[in-house]
Amino acid sequence: MTMRTKCIKITKENLAEAALEAGQILQNGGLVAFPTETVYGLGGDALQKEASAKIYTAKGRPSDNPLIVHISQASALSEIASPVPETAWKLAQAFWPGPLTMILNKKDCVPTETTGGLNTVAVRMPDHPVALALIEASSGFVAAPSANVSGRPSPTTADHVMQDLDGRIELVLDGGPCSVGLESTIVDLTEETPVILRPGYLTPEMLSAIIGEVIVDPALMQTDAGSRPKAPGMKYRHYAPRAQMILVKGSQSEVTQKIRSLIDQAHQTGKKVGVLCAQESKDSYPATVVKSLGSRTDEAQIARNLFARLREFDEEDVDVIYAEWFEAPGIGGAVMNRMLKAAGHQILQAQEE
Ligand code: TXA
Ligand code: MG
């Protein structure tokens, strides 16, 4: 099914009117893409099972992969989840609106189409005026996965959304580029000890400061592809550019040297090479397409740029992408998690022989 996808550039002046139009589409069972602080979401009414079914079709997403329900006030949590533990209210108080998704036991009003067949529901209150206005103008419960075609890098601009979903949804609200650029941290509160199922902008330390012990799903720590994470979405190859991507691990000087020799070899076989690196080492590579994620001193910038750069490589039509390793103390864990998935866990160790 194809349709004409309308795109509205949001300003202070037209926000209220555009939100009303978009909210109406959602109430009628249609789909609207909208900006959040993390990435763009592909929204449908979370309480209408037909709307959730449409989301899966538009994205080409496996139907066992549950959606996040977006709300505009913390109190709405108890309308769709039960019980709501004290830890949930504390986290909401500390981090909402913001890049935190909580998994709780769902109430019957949430259809299993929305939750991928699970008895739990993922809930988040996004920190973006356009998202909040849209939720207010809808039923108050907006199911929204990232607004990309399944498997591709998540969209951080309205252009990215149009690249993937033009002709498949009714409307895109263009609120400019996303400020965080990586998806929310997901924490499962249905277990005795809260478990982080997807790393994001908010680190485990930031959550423990509010609710005490938090563990990280052990499946996420493994760098091989054979692990079985609890968030169904984390098991799929994801965020991937079309070219083969290989991460090169080691100290900065080892990595630079290794990538330089890989470029040499690839050029000898006539391949078009891309390099994804830090600003600091951008001039070290004689490859055709060298893209910087930003300075290693600015982790937030690296996170914000990652998905856009991965998409840009597709336009350059490179055969192979060599990427520097980006482990760092804060949001670097989330950056590496996304890069590992983009590379399908292909890692080269760059030790000197
Ligand atoms: O930042 C974000 O979270 C963005 C914006 C749009 O809010 N949304 C997003 O949604 O990243 P999506 O669908 O691309 O990723 C949702 C992740 C998937 O890995 C899914 O498996 C997991 O959340 N998830 C959703 N509900 C779950 C549940 N009940 N139990 C376990 N994992 C769940
Ligand atoms: Mg996604």
Side-chain angles (χ1 to χ4, degrees):
M1 175 188 57
T2 68
M3 59 181 88
R4 240 185 78 81
T5 300
K6 184 172 166 184
C7 189
I8 304 178
K9 225 184 184 66
I10 303 297
T11 62
K12 267 204 191 73
E13 288 68 38
N14 73 2
L15 173 58
E17 191 191 339
L20 273 183
E21 178 178 343
Q24 203 57 54
I25 293 173
L26 293 183
Q27 304 223 25
N28 292 335
L31 304 182
V32 176
F34 60 97
T36 79
E37 80 282 29
T38 59
V39 300
Y40 273 72
L42 167 54
D45 187 333
L47 305 184
Q48 294 183 39
K49 60 179 190 225
E50 299 80 8
S52 292
K54 278 191 201 168
I55 292 177
Y56 288 103
T57 307
K59 264 186 81 91
R61 176 174 181 141
S63 61
D64 69 342
N65 190 0
L67 308 174
I68 295 175
V69 179
H70 295 68
I71 57 179
S72 59
Q73 31 198 332
S75 58
L77 200 49
S78 49
E79 291 178 46
I80 54 170
S82 176
V84 179
E86 198 47 40
T87 48
W89 295 119
K90 285 187 182 158
L91 288 173
Q93 171 80 27
F95 298 116
W96 278 358
L100 179 69
T101 296
M102 300 188 223
I103 310 287
L104 298 164
N105 288 307
K106 77 172 192 71
K107 280 191 167 173
D108 290 342
C109 61
V110 185
T112 48
E113 281 76 4
T114 301
T115 63
L118 300 175
N119 292 322
T120 53
V121 62
V123 192
R124 166 166 124 81
M125 178 172 163
D127 187 13
H128 196 293
V130 177
L132 293 170
L134 172 65
I135 298 163
E136 292 280 317
S138 73
S139 71
F141 301 95
V142 178
S146 49
N148 51 287
V149 161
S150 196
R152 298 214 64 212
S154 298
T156 53
T157 66
D159 274 353
H160 296 162
V161 177
M162 288 300 274
Q163 284 168 14
D164 281 17
L165 298 177
D166 191 8
R168 301 194 197 195
I169 62 178
E170 276 83 354
L171 176 65
V172 179
L173 300 177
D174 179 355
C178 301
S179 59
V180 172
L182 290 184
E183 303 90 339
S184 59
T185 303
I186 301 180
V187 62
D188 182 357
L189 298 177
T190 66
E191 306 274 353
E192 186 123 322
T193 306
V195 188
I196 293 186
L197 304 186
R198 178 173 71 183
Y201 183 77
L202 299 174
T203 62
E205 293 71 27
M206 292 159 89
L207 302 193
S208 332
I210 308 295
I211 57 168
E213 193 192 0
V214 169
I215 56 182
V216 177
D217 184 353
L220 298 181
M221 314 294 277
Q222 290 159 23
T223 47
D224 62 273
S227 53
R228 281 274 160 269
K230 184 173 173 189
M234 299 304 281
K235 73 179 182 238
Y236 297 105
R237 181 166 186 234
H238 218 145
Y239 315 119
R242 295 195 181 91
Q244 180 190 24
M245 176 165 156
I246 296 169
L247 303 183
V248 183
K249 186 177 186 179
S251 72
Q252 184 65 60
S253 66
E254 288 167 353
V255 165
T256 305
Q257 215 184 352
K258 181 72 178 177
I259 293 181
R260 287 175 63 95
S261 84
L262 289 166
I263 293 170
D264 257 4
Q265 287 165 31
H267 280 169
Q268 278 166 29
T269 59
K271 280 188 181 157
K272 185 168 174 187
V273 183
V275 174
L276 185 60
C277 62
Q279 186 58 41
E280 288 82 356
S281 45
K282 195 167 191 270
D283 297 328
S284 317
Y285 301 115
T288 326
V289 186
V290 181
K291 291 188 184 295
S292 153
L293 282 177
S295 169
R296 284 189 185 272
T297 61
D298 187 349
E299 279 188 77
Q301 184 189 34
I302 288 170
R304 194 158 54 234
N305 286 334
L306 178 63
F307 289 139
R309 290 299 104 82
L310 291 178
R311 275 177 185 264
E312 286 166 21
F313 276 116
D314 286 346
E315 283 152 36
E316 305 278 0
D317 214 19
V318 296
D319 298 302
V320 59
I321 302 164
Y322 297 116
E324 292 184 348
W325 196 256
F326 276 91
E327 195 100 61
I331 194 177
V335 169
M336 270 328 291
N337 169 270
R338 306 308 191 271
M339 286 184 77
L340 278 162
K341 289 170 71 66
H345 294 268
Q346 292 196 74
I347 303 169
L348 273 179
Q349 203 73 42
Q351 294 107 337
E352 272 132 71
E353 318 275 318

